Amino acid sequence: MNFLDSAPRFMFFTGKGGVGKTSIACAAAVRLARAGRKVLLVSTDPASNVGQVFGVSIGNTVTGIDGVPGLWALEIDPDQAVQAYRERVIAPMRGVLPQDDIASMTEQLSGSCTTEIASFNEFTALLTDETSGYDHVLFDTAPTGHTIRLLQLPGNWSEFLTGGGDASCLGPLSGLDKQKAVYAAAVAALADPHRTRLVLVARPSRSALAEIARTRTELGNVGLSNQYVVINGVLPDATDTTDPLAAAIHRRELTAIDTMPAGVRDLPRDLVELKATNIVGTDTLTTLFDRTPPEPTPAVAPTIVPALADAPLARLVDDIERDGPCLIMSMGKGGVGKTTVAAAVAVALAERGHDVHLSTTDPATDLAETVGGSLEHLTVSRIDPAEAVADYRARVMAGKGAALDAEGRAALAEDLRSPCTDEVAVFQAFSHIIAESRRRFVVIDTAPTGHTVLLLDATGSYHRDIVRQMAPGTRFVTPLMRLQDPTATKVLLVTLPETTPVLEATDLQADLERAGIHPWAWIIDNSLAAAAPVDPLLRRRAAAELEQIRRVTTHTHRYAVIPTLADEPVGIPALTALTHPPRPATTIRRASSANQTIT
């Protein structure tokens, strides 16, 4: 692997959700440790699955990995980070301030902004002396948009504090002023090519490669110039070209690689071949970078579970349409197909004559590119953080700032330069879109799991503020109340038929239900078992999916299965086909029991 040659001390693995960043980062950590190096693997993803890959519980403490001497792992847990950060800020005030003031400070330090700062503080500490005992520190990051935000923050906070920003203007900022030197050191480490390398991970698809091209530019602008490319999950050259599906996928991948954007084409590059099994455990991680051996042709095709027989996406669209205008949220881990599902549902409803607004809270998603054209009754937008922040600042200056003198307006403008303002602005934009769902269908493609949960935390904090302020008996409806109302909101949990994505979707369902939000349906995307491939490698992967599909049916009675497609579902005709699939050439006999197979 080129990206491991002369590996520097810090390595960041980033890319579009679902491209295999965690697998690549874990396999790299194992290889470096087995070469005799002391390695710390850190996940900055709020929905981290590093522990699942190694089969151990990690969490917010440095944990040794069994069977791999010299390798330790750490998952920056937002909840634990917030608790520790909040205690550091509040502890000196106990016994000094009245209890009411302590309670007020605690509430101030309970929002999503605090979560970001607390996690960020832990991240910057890892770039300084705290990790001096390790030869290498590898960061498995959140999906692209949020990684860009994380890696821009050291510079943003340094500029804010150095420029005279009031570090006490908001509760979460009260402990930041003393961090100036730490943030400056973090900026220097990120910009030093001898200490830091950025590994851009992609699948061999047009959209994933376009994503890393954008990331290369944005992170290059903040100083990360030492960049490498890893293209993961490439179908081997030994693919059975007599299988139309395998041949089409292989051809599509080669075209995507040959025509990848110029910005990344000239970077050092590695290809990692698709494997027949899920990458879980140190044995599979050890061989991930090896060439995939040819698969023997199985004597018998894998059986098909009943869940595959009659679970079209169109049926779910029928049910959504029947219930009338509502909010539809497509949720899940990065890379599971949330954007495709959201766009397909929106296009289907618009084609049936309904007014539909399709939007996204994911800063790394281009919905216009996915839809690929215009359609009557369909409006496409995105919550752009930069636009949301600009609009929010303008509204605050026009409102609160109108009554201030010149000095007061200058102070208010300085406060609004805080990176915390971004969180407030995005939440407000999200709330405005939710409100539209009273009169038309609103379909939201959410950011990957961890950051969507943080956005919902902000929604909960706002709800609690409103409840405290309202007089008893006053009628009101907050965004959280609409999300909790099953007649107003339908949450679609999107997953892949693989072990880790199903576990992550199960965890997300539990998180949502604790907040009083009950998922309406599950979508199993990109199922090889539903596509019935002939190629031996793809058939083996298809067979491995069946247990996961059965597992999904134990969590919900309402679901859909989308087969793996020969072409990427981009553009209105392709999205329409997802809800109007052609009949399969073979006859499928329904089973009478969920435990029986069908032929």
Side-chain angles (χ1 to χ4, degrees):
M1 293 288 110
N2 293 316
F3 77 91
L4 287 174
D5 287 347
S6 303
R9 185 144 186 273
F10 301 116
M11 298 182 72
F12 287 87
F13 295 81
T14 189
K16 191 178 177 67
V19 297
K21 296 183 302 296
T22 298
S23 297
I24 298 296
C26 290
V30 169
R31 179 161 292 193
L32 289 170
R34 288 191 167 156
R37 313 297 286 173
K38 294 181 68 176
V39 181
L40 177 63
L41 174 62
V42 180
S43 174
T44 65
D45 188 344
S48 171
N49 63 345
V50 168
Q52 293 168 346
V53 171
F54 283 110
V56 297
S57 178
I58 296 174
N60 206 37
T61 56
V62 175
T63 303
I65 301 300
D66 292 341
V68 190
L71 175 58
W72 292 264
L74 168 69
E75 293 173 325
I76 296 180
D77 182 284
D79 292 334
Q80 292 183 29
V82 165
Q83 290 175 11
Y85 178 80
R86 187 162 49 219
E87 184 60 22
R88 286 198 304 272
V89 174
I90 293 177
M93 302 297 140
R94 289 197 178 96
V96 177
L97 297 178
Q99 188 58 39
D100 287 348
D101 290 346
I102 295 295
S104 176
M105 289 179 65
T106 302
E107 181 59 32
Q108 276 189 301
L109 292 165
S110 297
S112 59
C113 181
T114 303
T115 301
E116 179 178 79
I117 294 173
S119 299
F120 167 66
N121 276 350
E122 293 208 6
F123 161 67
T124 52
L126 294 169
L127 289 172
T128 54
D129 293 338
E130 189 171 302
T131 57
S132 58
Y134 300 97
D135 297 310
H136 303 285
V137 182
L138 276 56
F139 292 90
D140 171 36
T141 70
T144 304
H146 300 282
T147 295
I148 291 172
R149 166 92 174 134
L150 179 70
L151 295 176
Q152 288 172 338
L153 278 172
N156 291 349
W157 281 118
S158 291
E159 290 171 9
F160 178 69
L161 295 174
T162 303
D166 180 5
S168 63
C169 62
L170 294 171
L173 303 185
S174 56
L176 290 182
D177 193 50
K178 64 186 70 174
Q179 298 289 337
K180 287 181 182 178
V182 175
Y183 296 167
V187 172
L190 291 174
D192 185 348
H194 300 293
R195 285 191 285 168
T196 300
R197 178 173 295 171
L198 180 68
V199 182
L200 301 161
V201 184
R203 290 280 185 177
S205 70
R206 181 182 51 80
S207 61
L209 292 168
E211 181 79 15
I212 63 169
R214 289 190 291 268
T215 305
R216 173 188 179 275
T217 300
E218 292 200 50
L219 293 184
N221 290 338
V222 297
L224 278 86
S225 58
N226 184 5
Q227 301 179 349
Y228 283 65
V229 171
V230 174
I231 303 178
N232 184 39
V234 179
L235 208 56
D237 290 335
T239 297
D240 182 356
T241 54
T242 64
D243 179 352
L245 176 64
I249 293 174
H250 190 53
R251 189 165 52 248
R252 182 182 73 202
E253 291 180 351
L254 291 178
T255 300
I257 293 171
D258 289 343
T259 59
M260 61 194 298
V264 291
R265 188 183 306 143
D266 297 331
L267 293 176
R269 182 196 314 170
D270 293 297
L271 302 183
V272 178
E273 292 184 341
L274 182 71
K275 299 299 185 285
T277 58
N278 291 327
I279 307 302
V280 177
T282 54
D283 290 342
T284 58
L285 290 169
T286 300
T287 60
L288 177 60
F289 298 145
D290 299 340
R291 293 189 64 85
T292 302
E295 285 286 322
T297 301
V300 180
T303 56
I304 302 175
V305 296
L308 295 172
D310 197 11
L313 185 59
R315 180 169 297 173
L316 296 187
V317 175
D318 292 342
D319 292 343
I320 292 170
E321 180 185 31
R322 184 179 58 249
D323 293 344
C326 64
L327 174 68
I328 303 153
M329 297 185 71
S330 179
M331 291 188 179
K333 179 77 172 176
V336 296
K338 297 184 308 299
T339 303
T340 298
V341 168
V345 170
V347 166
L349 290 169
E351 287 181 331
R352 298 181 186 195
H354 300 288
D355 190 18
V356 182
H357 183 180
L358 171 64
S359 189
T360 182
T361 64
D362 188 347
T365 292
D366 187 345
L367 276 176
E369 181 179 311
T370 300
V371 174
S374 60
L375 181 65
E376 188 178 4
H377 305 299
L378 178 64
T379 300
V380 179
S381 72
R382 66 189 296 261
I383 298 177
D384 182 278
E387 292 180 10
V389 169
D391 291 344
Y392 176 75
R393 286 172 176 161
R395 286 198 307 272
V396 172
M397 292 300 295
K400 184 186 293 187
L404 300 175
D405 58 19
E407 185 178 347
R409 286 178 61 83
L412 178 60
E414 183 63 36
D415 288 350
L416 290 172
R417 284 205 307 116
S418 157
C420 279
T421 300
D422 297 12
E423 303 300 317
V424 178
V426 170
F427 165 69
Q428 287 204 354
F430 174 61
S431 300
H432 291 154
I433 288 181
I434 289 178
E436 290 185 26
S437 62
R438 292 182 173 90
R439 57 184 176 81
R440 64 173 171 174
F441 288 104
V442 174
V443 185
I444 296 184
D445 164 41
T446 68
T449 302
H451 299 280
T452 294
V453 170
L454 296 183
L455 180 60
L456 295 179
D457 282 346
T459 308
S461 296
Y462 174 77
H463 172 80
R464 290 189 294 273
D465 283 342
I466 295 298
V467 170
R468 278 195 303 271
Q469 295 170 22
M470 289 295 177
T474 304
R475 293 176 60 87
F476 60 91
V477 177
T478 66
L480 178 63
M481 293 166 69
R482 286 195 63 79
L483 295 179
Q484 292 172 330
D485 182 352
T487 65
T489 299
K490 290 179 169 59
V491 173
L492 307 180
L493 280 189
V494 186
T495 187
L496 299 175
E498 299 173 11
T499 304
T500 298
V502 171
L503 285 172
E504 290 165 343
T506 303
D507 290 343
L508 175 57
Q509 176 165 279
D511 287 339
L512 292 171
E513 289 180 340
R514 279 192 291 272
I517 301 169
H518 302 285
W520 183 75
W522 283 52
I523 314 292
I524 303 169
D525 187 35
N526 198 29
S527 170
L528 280 167
V534 175
D535 177 75
L537 173 62
L538 297 185
R539 283 175 67 174
R540 189 172 168 196
R541 289 187 65 87
E545 293 179 355
L546 302 185
E547 177 57 33
Q548 300 309 316
I549 294 172
R550 288 190 183 94
R551 185 167 297 173
V552 167
T553 65
T554 67
H555 295 296
T556 182
H557 67 279
R558 186 185 285 119
Y559 54 85
V561 181
I562 300 175
T564 299
L565 304 173
D567 298 304
E568 290 188 72
V570 175
I572 291 173
L575 294 170
T576 299
L578 292 180
T579 53
H580 296 82
R583 285 189 168 275
T586 56
T587 300
I588 296 179
R589 175 170 57 82
R590 291 292 305 277
S592 59
S593 166
N595 294 321
Q596 293 176 299
T597 59
I598 58 177
T599 57

